[in-house]
Amino acid sequence: MTAPAPGWLDGIARYLAAQVAGLAYRTDGTPYGVDETGISLWAIPASPDTCMVLTPYGGPAPDTKLGYNTPRLQARFRGPPGDPDTPAQLDVDVFDVLQGLGPVTLPGGVRLISCEALQADPGYLGQDGNRRHELTRNYQLEHRAITAHRQ
């Protein structure tokens, strides 16, 4: 069982699905179509072959009084067996949408202030046991996070 997705993570997934042709994000368990690339959260699924995974990880410590958080996000891409071009193109398509994004209100209502890649190019992870090439790129986001003691 995975932890519930933070609102900003779900919002990024929904935003990408709306902006990048062929990307789809579903939370109801409906299988992805042949011509779709499914977005998953947290962990890479066994199928479909072509997919994207968004995994959050810690960023800098939040300010105690200002209501902004700066989490980090790993975007991981996988393509069909023996095809390194598909995950590379997915990375480019997602980079084109995320790099410099903001300010914008994400689906679900989270106010994204900014998004920036932490590397100029994706990292190559190699092939999995099914000869599917995998790439990854990391991003840092800033979003509004007002709490009882932060404005």
Side-chain angles (χ1 to χ4, degrees):
M1 183 171 162
T2 60
W8 64 265
L9 182 63
D10 180 74
I12 289 288
R14 292 177 188 280
Y15 189 85
L16 287 171
Q19 299 295 318
V20 179
L23 275 182
Y25 175 61
R26 297 195 182 97
T27 58
D28 64 1
T30 305
Y32 293 105
V34 178
D35 57 348
E36 294 178 310
T37 298
I39 300 173
S40 296
L41 304 183
W42 302 100
I44 197 158
S47 65
D49 285 332
T50 303
C51 64
M52 174 184 178
V53 179
L54 299 175
T55 306
Y57 66 100
D63 190 282
T64 58
K65 296 295 179 189
L66 298 177
Y68 295 90
N69 285 352
T70 52
R72 291 187 177 160
L73 170 69
Q74 180 187 68
R76 186 171 175 175
F77 308 94
R78 183 178 69 203
D83 176 8
D85 296 332
T86 296
Q89 186 59 55
L90 282 170
D91 168 70
V92 168
D93 294 344
V94 168
F95 177 84
D96 286 349
V97 171
L98 292 182
Q99 180 65 10
L101 179 63
V104 65
T105 300
L106 297 172
V110 172
R111 185 69 174 161
L112 180 72
I113 305 303
S114 66
C115 181
E116 65 180 277
L118 296 174
Q119 309 94 265
D121 292 303
Y124 181 65
L125 299 176
Q127 295 181 25
D128 69 6
N130 294 316
R131 296 182 40 247
R132 299 178 295 195
H133 293 270
E134 295 182 5
L135 303 171
T136 185
R137 192 187 305 244
N138 298 297
Y139 294 87
Q140 182 164 291
L141 293 79
E142 181 178 27
H143 69 86
R144 290 291 282 150
I146 298 171
T147 65
H149 305 287
R150 296 169 52 191
Q151 305 250 349

